Amino acid sequence: FMEKYPDNFLNVGIMEQSMMSIAAGISSQGNKVFAYSISNFSTFRALEQLRLDIAYHKLNVCVVGVGTGFQYGSAGYSHWAIEDLAIVSGLEKFRIFSPSDANSTQEAIIDFLKNGGPTYIRLGKHVRNLSDIHKAQEIGSHIKKFGLGKKIIISHGSIAVKVLESKLFNPDEFSLL
């Protein structure tokens, strides 16, 4: 993106608070903006900016956080994003997407581009598509069912890939939502 659209890309470095304020300013001029960082930095560190600069004004800013949960495990507690959902869900105007794979990530991005508004997309590091593991059945907006079983496992985010890949997941016995 940086190479293809150099005039539409800013790297603000490790200044997540400023990044959110800059994104809000750009959005206030009629643009849809993506602001990307490691999940805990884009949510914990920039919470006041998310709340006052983006949510309060209902701006078209999509905050993209990568490495949710313990995915930056070796970096330690400072890099774990285990409270990001709780923090952002407390901001009443934010919509939250927790895609499980590349396909659902694409759906979330298209949804933001179509509908706008304060949005948080939390991403893991997995790139494998769930449909490569099991065939999906659409059961609602952004909700898919994997497997035909009567026992239901409800999951979101990148952990869903691990569930489907597990030797314990039997699609005749379980359904994954």
Side-chain angles (χ1 to χ4, degrees), residues 107-123:
E107 290 174 12
I109 291 169
I110 291 169
D111 187 289
F112 169 72
L113 292 172
K114 187 176 177 181
N115 299 307
T119 303
Y120 176 50
I121 299 178
R122 62 189 311 267
L123 301 175

Side-chain angles (χ1 to χ4, degrees), residues 23-36:
I26 294 169
S27 177
S28 74
Q29 300 303 302
N31 299 291
K32 290 187 177 166
V33 181
F34 289 88
Y36 165 86

